[in-house]
Amino acid sequence: MLPASRFSCKAHRCIRALTTVPTEHAAPQLYTSIQRRTCSSASRITTHYTIHPREKDSRWEGVEMERFGDEADVVIVGGGPAGLSAAIRLKQLANEHEKELRVCVVEKAPQIGAHTLSGACLEPSALFELFPDWKERGAPLHTPVTEDIFSIFTEKHRIPIPILPGLPMQNHGNYLVRLGNLVRWLGEQAEELGVELYPGYAAAEVLFHEDGSVKGIATNDVGIAKDGSPKDVFERGMELHAKVTLFGEGCHGHLAKQLYKQFNLRENCEPQTYAIGLKELWMIDEKKWKPGRAEHSVGWPLNRHTYGGSFVYHLNEGEPLVALGFVVGLDYSNPYLSPFREFQRWKHHPFVSSTLEGGQRIAYGARALNEGGFQSIPKLTFPGGLLIGCSPGFMNVPKIKGTHTAMKSGMLAAEAIFPKVTAESLDSETAGIHVHEYAENLKSSWVWKELYSVRNIRPSFHNYFGLYGGMVYTGIFYWIFRGKEPWTLKHCGLDAHQLKPAKECTPIEYPKPDGKISFDLLSSVALSGTNHEGDQPPHLTLKDDGVPVARNLAIYDGPEQRFCPAGVYEYVPVETGDGMRLQINAQNCVHCKTCDIKDPSQNINWVVPEGGGGPAYNGM
Amino acid sequence: MSGRVLVGVKRVIDYAVKIRVKPDNSGIVTDGVKHSMNPFCEIAVEEAVKMKEKKLIKEVVAVSCGPQQSQETIRTALAMGADRGIHVEVSGKDYETLGPLQVSKIMAALAKKEDAQLIILGKQAIDDDCNQTGQMTAALLDWPQGTFASEVSLEGDKIKVVREIDGGLETIKINTPAVLTADLRLNTPRYATLPNIMKAKKKKIANVKPADLGVDLTSRLEVLRVDEPPQRQAGMKVETVEDLVGKLKESGKV
């Protein structure tokens, strides 16, 4: 019953070799066609019903497809900081005004907080607004920042940079937190207030009224076999209908992707740009532990044209625990770059390895994060629903903080929705209510001002001097002029289009992991606790099964095998004849969304797997 | 004949999570770690619910012994089709030392109190791998036991159990009331779907203390130390048979 993710790729190949019957009698012409169409040999890669609809599939004939439905006042997709803040605020208002309100939160993680991953250095403004009595309630904010260190790393040395008051990375008044624990605490507060929380159930489909407005969501079906056919235990998901549906799926949500198209929400904004953040938790030697210390670095091992940096946070929760991680902008151009291996390599810098020596790694995870900022915020409202949190993307990139703005957006959403859903008569043109006020309130709030003032810092890195040009720009225009310059710099377009063909780039020589400070990919993935029901269609769906080998491998040398932080994508030789095929180890997926973002062919469409699957982060 | 079945469900650390030993070697870290229902307990619940659907029994009662969070495990059993739940509250030090002996005393007491006709348990829990609770419960009640069941059929007032044993399969017929423990191939548990979870919120879970059942929780065992398994040593390749024999002699194995 061991999950397949535990086996190395060599073992995978052995198992496959032992279980496949070679077709020696096949005619020679078939070999060439097998090379070009990977889906012709034995099985398809993608079997998900979003690519192969069940209406046309004979195996689904006669299967009961009716769904059980239920009504709530508000349904929230995503039990993260934004979703839970919205739910809490709604119930606070309901109690204040003595009104009944049914608020349901669906969350794909098996327990609230299990899919939450962040540094995190929290600016507590939004939390203090939501719960002025947060301390009495026991919110897990135990580590105020006492020391702020910023460096530019070279291979062996570091250049300390003074953090002058007013620079975005100044952290006085902020807290180092384990965001997963804060989210879990928010979940407890929400339940106490009467919010219905349903972890382990993923929202898989958006439902629409006849007039095109959003009616609610449907949770995932269960019991579909890996080849797409129904199992004995097949059961349809459930429909949750609401007057307003809030989408708080986090960075690059899969339902949000559909909503952008459906309601044309991105017509007046720039495409979102992203980074991938990889993180580990270490139990270190007590002598090296400096609780309250926040370290950030830029520079080595990334070159000046690859945006990225690191963090090391010494937590103060009773044991010598350190959270550290590495962020790489996904607009990098070299397909040979592996964010995971850059992270592992960075840990060997003397400034970092001195902290980690003698310590033990206890957790690992990864998640994509937004970098587009102000320029990439889409239209936030549509009939029947609205977007909150990192899904539309309110991260303050130079501060590397997005939790406070996510929470505030959830609270503003709740305040805008409340009068509408509790009104005596439904005053709406569409069956699903369109809450314009949310976007208007957000635009006049501190969230907007904050994002506006830092809007030019990230794009300023796109110059000849790269990182250094960006730092000079920040120094002049942010520190001195507070972001009031009249122009707004643009991003470079979709991250997926930034990759150069492999033949124009040099492969990067990464050092082998030493097993003490740096580690290999598969043992890291095991630490994330990720697992999925094995017998289900892979949730990393390909629009065209042939594109990975024909395009991604041929032109870009298969970058997905390098940017996936969980080893989901592997190019392996086909069993018979020459050529490679893409193997998708869906069980390893940690739901980071990087593949959906960075695939140069934009062929990968991440959809939600059966609820309850994915990582089992504990206080990440 | 009450037609009532008791099913024991245990809340354990999820099988896919990498466990970590506490720095003081007193146990393993459980705080905040993902827990779920023991896989063999899921199979036990499924079997009981199947029996109810076939109208062979009347009521399925899910029982769990543990802290507040055990209620989530009982809710999952209720969502799978159990009718009501009993949460036997055990927390703190008592929970750390809770083992098969104590749980079987509790199950035996509950079986008498609830007038149960059948007790179905998982064959073992994936955290301690004891494989004792079913057997001890049967002994305390002086009931027959059908353990490692891969097939169960009720025939009148007897039960035919096909057991998985080392040599193959053994078929036995036992009287009721009896204790059964579920093995892997007994059935495929159904999913606890959202509508059922919502319905389960309305089903009753009774709170009981072990003292109310007259059960003494003192443990006869003391855990001295918990350690991680030793790191696997790298193997060695040798060129010739003489080398191999030499190395074996060196390490004292020959």
Side-chain angles (χ1 to χ4, degrees):
Chain A
M1 273 174 76
L2 282 175
S5 56
R6 302 244 162 145
F7 298 120
S8 69
C9 33
K10 280 216 183 76
H12 268 307
R13 277 182 240 154
C14 286
I15 294 170
R16 200 157 328 274
L18 290 168
T19 51
T20 315
V21 176
T23 53
E24 286 146 327
H25 53 276
Q29 302 97 290
L30 272 171
Y31 284 120
T32 44
S33 64
I34 284 170
Q35 275 170 31
R36 268 185 278 117
R37 295 200 310 126
T38 49
C39 50
S40 64
S41 57
S43 51
R44 292 168 166 163
I45 303 178
T46 302
T47 52
H48 201 273
Y49 63 80
T50 49
I51 306 285
H52 300 288
R54 289 174 288 197
E55 296 86 41
K56 306 195 184 117
D57 192 331
S58 56
R59 298 169 300 183
W60 286 87
E61 249 171 88
V63 175
E64 180 58 62
M65 295 298 267
E66 259 229 57
R67 280 189 286 224
F68 186 80
D70 204 358
E71 302 278 333
D73 293 297
V74 181
V75 164
I76 301 177
V77 176
L84 291 174
S85 300
I88 289 171
R89 194 76 195 103
L90 278 169
K91 276 306 215 178
Q92 284 177 340
L93 288 167
N95 292 344
E96 242 178 87
H97 292 94
E98 286 172 1
K99 293 242 159 106
E100 288 285 323
L101 200 64
R102 187 174 181 206
V103 180
C104 292
V105 177
V106 284
E107 162 60 47
K108 61 174 165 58
Q111 47 196 58
I112 302 284
H115 285 187
T116 300
L117 183 137
S118 183
C121 182
L122 178 75
E123 202 178 284
S125 48
L127 177 63
F128 292 174
E129 257 184 71
L130 189 63
F131 286 116
D133 55 346
W134 60 274
K135 217 181 197 146
E136 288 79 40
R137 285 174 179 263
L141 266 60
H142 305 295
T143 316
V145 176
T146 54
E147 231 190 315
D148 227 340
I149 314 257
F150 195 85
S151 331
I152 300 181
F153 277 5
T154 61
E155 193 173 342
K156 292 267 188 314
H157 305 284
R158 75 174 257 266
I159 304 166
I161 304 278
I163 303 185
L164 308 162
L167 276 177
M169 49 290 285
Q170 209 239 352
N171 279 314
H172 184 72
N174 296 337
Y175 288 81
L176 302 175
V177 296
R178 295 174 70 172
L179 193 62
N181 289 347
L182 181 62
V183 169
R184 191 161 42 140
W185 175 84
L186 283 173
E188 287 162 17
Q189 305 309 306
E191 272 200 311
E192 260 178 55
L193 286 166
V195 174
E196 288 176 51
L197 287 180
Y198 295 114
Y201 297 97
E205 199 185 315
V206 184
L207 303 169
F208 297 94
H209 287 290
E210 290 203 354
D211 62 9
S213 60
V214 170
K215 187 173 167 184
I217 53 102
T219 59
N220 57 283
D221 294 346
V222 292
I224 305 180
K226 197 162 185 166
D227 63 6
S229 61
K231 293 194 277 196
D232 287 331
V233 286
F234 171 75
E235 269 196 66
R236 273 294 251 170
M238 177 178 163
E239 296 194 4
L240 278 173
H241 302 160
K243 297 178 187 147
V244 187
T245 309
L246 276 66
F247 292 87
E249 301 173 283
C251 176
H252 204 78
H254 77 110
L255 291 182
K257 198 174 168 187
Q258 290 173 31
L259 291 167
Y260 293 148
K261 273 209 210 93
Q262 181 81 16
F263 293 104
N264 219 355
L265 301 172
R266 298 205 76 97
E267 58 185 342
N268 291 323
C269 67
E270 288 201 43
Q272 184 65 260
T273 60
Y274 302 88
I276 178 177
L278 301 109
K279 176 182 172 182
E280 286 174 358
L281 282 179
W282 280 68
M283 205 62 99
I284 57 170
D285 187 345
E286 264 202 66
K287 298 194 257 324
K288 312 202 175 164
W289 180 43
K290 303 191 178 87
R293 182 172 158 115
E295 296 170 19
H296 294 103
S297 84
V298 291
W300 188 84
L302 299 175
N303 63 35
R304 67 176 195 270
H305 290 297
T306 308
Y307 186 82
S310 74
F311 64 88
V312 178
Y313 298 146
H314 292 243
L315 293 158
N316 189 7
E317 301 193 355
E319 35 180 20
L321 196 61
V322 161
L324 57 126
F326 202 73
V327 172
V328 178
L330 284 177
D331 58 348
Y332 68 82
S333 55
N334 186 345
Y336 292 107
L337 193 141
S338 160
F340 174 78
R341 301 192 79 173
E342 297 289 350
F343 175 38
Q344 299 301 320
R345 166 154 85 152
W346 161 81
K347 281 189 282 176
H348 282 288
H349 188 278
F351 196 63
V352 185
S353 59
S354 54
T355 309
L356 299 179
E357 250 140 36
Q360 197 205 3
R361 182 176 74 151
I362 62 168
Y364 164 83
R367 183 74 170 92
L369 45 127
N370 303 299
E371 300 232 311
F374 186 79
Q375 293 90 321
S376 303
I377 301 178
K379 230 169 137 263
L380 296 167
T381 65
F382 43 89
L386 45 91
L387 303 167
I388 55 175
C390 276
S391 181
F394 300 118
M395 205 179 103
N396 181 328
V397 179
K399 266 196 201 172
I400 40 169
K401 292 179 178 55
T403 311
H404 62 310
T405 47
M407 287 176 73
K408 182 66 176 167
S409 72
M411 291 155 63
L412 288 170
E415 285 158 12
I417 297 173
F418 183 73
K420 299 240 153 159
V421 295
T422 50
E424 288 304 321
S425 52
L426 188 61
D427 173 28
S428 172
E429 295 170 351
T430 48
I433 312 177
H434 192 159
V435 187
H436 299 273
E437 290 80 353
Y438 160 59
E440 287 152 22
N441 294 352
L442 195 68
K443 289 193 177 121
S444 42
S445 74
W446 54 259
V447 174
W448 211 255
K449 286 191 201 53
E450 190 176 317
L451 292 176
Y452 184 77
S453 67
V454 296
R455 72 197 181 287
N456 285 326
I457 296 185
R458 177 67 175 92
S460 71
F461 281 69
H462 299 301
N463 63 74
Y464 179 73
F465 296 103
L467 166 71
Y468 306 109
M471 292 179 75
V472 169
Y473 185 96
T474 306
I476 300 172
F477 289 99
Y478 184 76
W479 191 53
I480 302 176
F481 292 114
R482 291 337 214 140
K484 291 195 169 61
E485 66 271 33
W487 58 83
T488 299
L489 299 174
K490 282 185 173 318
H491 298 302
C492 294
L494 272 186
D495 287 331
H497 296 159
Q498 306 305 317
L499 276 183
K500 295 206 185 92
K503 60 181 195 286
E504 292 173 28
C505 304
T506 25
I508 305 179
E509 277 290 315
Y510 288 106
K512 264 177 100 82
D514 72 347
K516 294 204 203 52
I517 306 263
S518 52
F519 300 90
D520 65 296
L521 185 62
L522 287 176
S523 61
S524 308
V525 176
L527 270 186
S528 69
T530 194
N531 193 31
H532 296 84
E533 160 62 52
D535 194 13
Q536 66 172 308
H539 62 280
L540 298 323
T541 65
L542 304 171
K543 293 190 205 138
D544 180 342
D545 274 359
V547 164
V549 173
R551 202 162 177 269
N552 288 20
L553 187 61
I555 306 176
Y556 302 99
D557 197 43
E560 54 269 61
Q561 47 186 345
R562 295 189 192 89
F563 60 54
C564 175
V568 169
Y569 300 98
E570 270 185 297
Y571 281 98
V572 295
V574 292
E575 278 79 47
T576 49
D578 297 317
M580 305 288 267
R581 64 176 181 85
L582 178 66
Q583 178 172 285
I584 297 184
N585 305 314
Q587 279 183 288
N588 289 16
C589 183
V590 292
H591 298 205
C592 75
K593 314 295 176 68
T594 303
C595 54
D596 196 312
I597 295 166
K598 190 61 175 169
D599 176 11
S601 314
Q602 287 291 278
N603 188 37
I604 300 174
N605 194 39
W606 190 98
V607 298
V608 77
E610 275 179 19
Y617 296 142
N618 181 9
M620 282 291 257
Chain B
M1 275 304 164
S2 65
R4 188 170 292 132
V5 173
L6 283 188
V7 181
V9 293
K10 186 176 181 186
R11 179 176 180 263
V12 296
I13 294 184
D14 188 84
Y15 74 91
V17 170
K18 216 162 166 81
I19 55 169
R20 194 164 55 94
V21 175
K22 285 194 187 146
D24 60 1
N25 293 97
S26 62
I28 56 172
V29 177
T30 54
D31 202 30
V33 176
K34 176 182 174 189
H35 282 69
S36 38
M37 192 192 290
N38 182 35
F40 296 107
C41 297
E42 283 181 354
I43 299 174
V45 174
E46 176 65 23
E47 196 58 26
V49 174
K50 273 199 164 75
M51 283 183 192
K52 191 178 89 158
E53 284 171 351
K54 288 191 208 145
K55 305 238 195 297
L56 298 166
I57 54 138
K58 294 212 198 72
E59 194 188 21
V60 178
V61 182
V63 179
S64 191
C65 309
Q68 186 63 14
Q69 295 98 316
S70 295
Q71 294 211 3
E72 288 160 23
T73 315
I74 301 179
R75 287 260 174 249
T76 310
L78 293 174
M80 285 171 74
D83 297 292
R84 58 185 170 90
I86 300 178
H87 172 214
V88 181
E89 274 189 62
V90 180
S91 49
K93 229 27 310 326
D94 282 334
Y95 182 59
E96 279 170 41
T97 54
L98 190 71
L101 181 60
Q102 294 77 20
V103 175
S104 48
K105 285 183 188 171
I106 293 172
M107 291 303 290
L110 279 173
K112 290 202 192 99
K113 184 163 174 262
E114 299 282 336
D115 188 26
Q117 186 193 344
L118 196 56
I119 300 180
I120 312 184
L121 305 170
K123 73 170 179 181
Q124 66 196 59
I126 60 169
D127 51 6
D128 54 23
D129 279 335
C130 281
N131 197 323
Q132 296 164 9
T133 310
Q135 292 86 335
M136 284 182 176
T137 311
L140 286 170
L141 290 166
D142 199 24
W143 285 7
Q145 51 183 274
T147 53
F148 306 95
S150 68
E151 227 185 280
V152 170
S153 41
L154 269 61
E155 295 177 359
D157 56 351
K158 293 208 200 299
I159 310 183
K160 185 173 103 178
V161 181
V162 178
R163 307 177 58 226
E164 295 198 22
I165 60 172
D166 285 346
L169 297 170
E170 178 191 57
T171 310
I172 59 171
K173 219 179 224 177
I174 53 177
N175 293 325
T176 51
V179 175
L180 302 174
T181 71
D183 207 327
L184 193 61
R185 276 157 277 269
L186 183 55
N187 59 50
T188 308
R190 67 196 62 193
Y191 287 84
T193 54
L194 187 56
N196 291 328
I197 286 274
M198 287 180 173
K199 285 187 203 146
K201 290 208 168 166
K202 304 198 181 86
K203 294 185 185 173
K204 279 201 66 171
I205 299 182
N207 267 327
V208 174
K209 294 210 174 39
D212 299 340
L213 298 168
V215 170
D216 166 28
L217 290 178
T218 24
S219 178
R220 310 297 196 260
L221 303 170
E222 188 193 332
V223 173
L224 298 174
R225 199 185 153 85
V226 178
D227 279 303
E228 296 224 351
Q231 287 278 22
R232 242 190 112 182
Q233 295 298 329
M236 237 189 306
K237 268 191 167 161
V238 290
E239 298 292 310
T240 67
V241 177
E242 287 79 22
D243 277 347
L244 175 61
V245 176
K247 287 253 172 349
L248 285 171
K249 283 201 174 139
E250 252 176 64
S251 60
K253 294 204 171 28
V254 166

